[in-house]
Amino acid sequence: KMHEMVDGGSGGIEEEGPLSTNTPNDDNAVPTFSDDITNELLGKENATIEARTQHTNKTGENDNAAAKKHSNVLIQSTYDSDLAALRNTVSRWVVIIATDASETSSVPKRSLLVTIAQLCSFFGLEGTLAYVLPQVLAFLNDRRDWQLRALLCQRLPSICAVVGRASTAHFVIPCIETALVDSNETVVCCAISCLTDLIKMGLITRSMLIGRSKHGEGNPGIIEKFSILLVHPANNIRNEYLALFSASFSSLGSPDDVVFLLPMIRPFLRYEPSTSNFTDPQNLALCLLPPMSRERFEIELANVALTISDGTSGTASNSSKSTSKIGASSRDGAYQESDRMAS
């Protein structure tokens, strides 16, 4: 038939009318078995896509579960509890070292003071007040080792920087005042230097420096109570106290420095220097009276210590009278020395 169609031209095509209706664009031209194969292939492809989708979803769920698990681990961290347990352990070590009363206890106590700044940083404010400060302040009661007491005075500013002004006023300053009347002069120097550092750090208030006394009544301040140290027989103690006074003078500022501080040391001055000289310890030393004798000073120091331990309202009055008496005694001694040299 194909030969006839080719040979016959269009006539052959017209005779085969039913075949001319099956054009290539007709959908019915595709055999029926092709539809079955197509459906089968499409079904397998859809099944594969669905399986991959399920696998992807399952993998995503697993990843989300793992991420959620890790996030729960970060939230449920045991850092705080571990730090509290470590602090508790170290605090027991501190108590053991500080309360050791054996003959060889001074060495570990000094080692503890050397690294006291790092220890206070480890404990923080609350831990320092609870574990460190009460233990180390008891070192001042160790009368066998003056080096331990001196080292404590040197390291106290590091502790005060952590505990703040209020705790310094209530706990530290009374202990330093005890060290100011220590039997060892090195301890006294370190105690005065400690007060100077605290003033420069702004941890000593105005009332602590000049007191709350008015017309000889009330509690005297640090400057007035220990102004006797200006005529101390030891040169290093006088120089340390001059540095303390100069720091106090700079801390108060005008006009409080001249109004309140100058009258406290006037009994120990040969002449009153200019205001600029009060901030220079070396220039201020030129204005002082000559130092007292060792015997006379020991007697007056015992009176000052008794005045400090007396909690009556007349403390400031007694202190002022004692200071004036010491100044008059020093001035008389200076005059006698001058007359002896002139003769």
Side-chain angles (χ1 to χ4, degrees):
K1 291 182 179 180
M2 293 179 62
H3 288 290
E4 291 177 356
M5 291 172 60
V6 173
D7 294 337
S10 60
I13 297 174
E14 292 177 353
E15 290 180 359
E16 297 294 331
L19 293 175
S20 62
T21 58
N22 294 332
T23 60
N25 295 329
D26 193 353
D27 294 336
N28 295 328
V30 181
T32 56
F33 69 90
S34 298
D35 294 337
D36 297 334
I37 295 174
T38 301
N39 292 334
E40 184 177 357
L41 293 175
L42 290 176
K44 290 182 178 180
E45 185 176 358
N46 291 335
T48 303
I49 294 174
E50 184 177 358
R52 290 178 178 177
T53 302
Q54 292 178 356
H55 177 72
T56 302
N57 294 335
K58 192 176 296 184
T59 304
E61 292 176 357
N62 294 334
D63 293 340
N64 292 334
K68 185 176 180 181
K69 182 178 180 181
H70 288 299
S71 64
N72 291 337
V73 170
L74 293 176
I75 294 174
Q76 298 175 358
S77 175
T78 60
Y79 173 79
D80 293 335
S81 59
D82 292 343
L83 180 60
L86 182 59
R87 284 175 173 174
N88 189 25
T89 302
V90 176
S91 67
R92 291 198 297 268
W93 296 344
V94 173
V95 172
I96 292 174
I97 294 174
T99 57
D100 186 10
S102 62
E103 295 181 356
T104 59
S105 62
S106 295
V107 175
K109 288 179 181 178
R110 292 180 207 167
S111 300
L112 182 67
L113 290 175
V114 169
T115 58
I116 199 67
Q118 293 84 345
L119 193 64
C120 292
S121 177
F122 168 73
F123 277 111
L125 174 59
E126 296 181 359
T128 302
L129 288 173
Y131 306 121
V132 179
L133 186 60
Q135 302 298 331
V136 298
L137 288 179
F139 292 170
L140 288 175
N141 298 326
D142 191 344
R143 311 314 301 178
R144 297 176 302 178
D145 189 1
W146 64 267
Q147 294 178 342
L148 178 63
R149 301 196 302 272
L151 183 59
L152 173 62
C153 294
Q154 293 175 358
R155 298 296 178 177
L156 276 177
S158 301
I159 304 177
C160 295
V162 177
V163 300
R165 178 182 292 182
S167 298
T168 299
H170 286 88
F171 305 113
V172 179
I173 296 301
C175 296
I176 298 178
E177 290 182 349
T178 303
L180 287 173
V181 292
D182 196 275
S183 58
N184 187 279
E185 294 181 356
T186 304
V187 178
V188 177
C189 286
C190 293
I192 301 173
S193 178
C194 177
L195 289 175
T196 305
D197 292 339
L198 293 179
I199 291 174
K200 294 179 180 179
M201 295 167 63
L203 296 177
I204 297 183
T205 61
R206 176 179 179 273
S207 60
M208 294 166 60
L209 284 176
I210 63 178
R212 296 184 177 91
S213 61
K214 184 177 181 181
H215 303 296
E217 297 180 357
N219 295 323
I222 295 173
I223 301 300
E224 183 177 0
K225 282 191 291 187
F226 300 99
S227 57
I228 185 180
L229 297 177
L230 288 171
V231 290
H232 195 283
N235 186 42
N236 54 348
I237 292 181
R238 292 199 307 273
N239 292 335
E240 289 291 344
Y241 190 85
L242 287 172
L244 171 65
F245 183 84
S246 298
S248 303
F249 202 86
S250 301
S251 176
L252 287 183
S254 179
D256 291 346
D257 47 8
V258 177
V259 174
F260 296 104
L261 289 181
L262 181 57
M264 297 178 184
I265 68 168
R266 186 173 283 128
F268 306 100
L269 297 178
R270 292 185 297 173
Y271 61 90
E272 188 170 318
S274 61
T275 306
S276 59
N277 289 336
F278 283 109
T279 57
D280 188 354
Q282 294 181 353
N283 292 334
L284 189 58
L286 301 176
C287 309
L288 293 178
L289 293 172
M292 300 176 63
S293 63
R294 179 71 62 176
E295 294 78 12
R296 178 63 178 171
F297 184 82
E298 294 294 339
I299 296 174
E300 298 298 340
L301 185 62
N303 294 334
V304 173
L306 182 61
T307 302
I308 295 172
S309 62
D310 186 9
T312 61
S313 60
T315 302
S317 178
N318 296 335
S319 178
S320 299
K321 293 178 181 179
S322 177
T323 299
S324 301
K325 184 178 179 181
I326 296 170
S329 177
S330 299
R331 187 174 287 103
D332 293 341
Y335 291 155
Q336 293 175 3
E337 181 67 17
S338 176
D339 294 340
R340 187 186 64 83
M341 294 179 63
S343 61

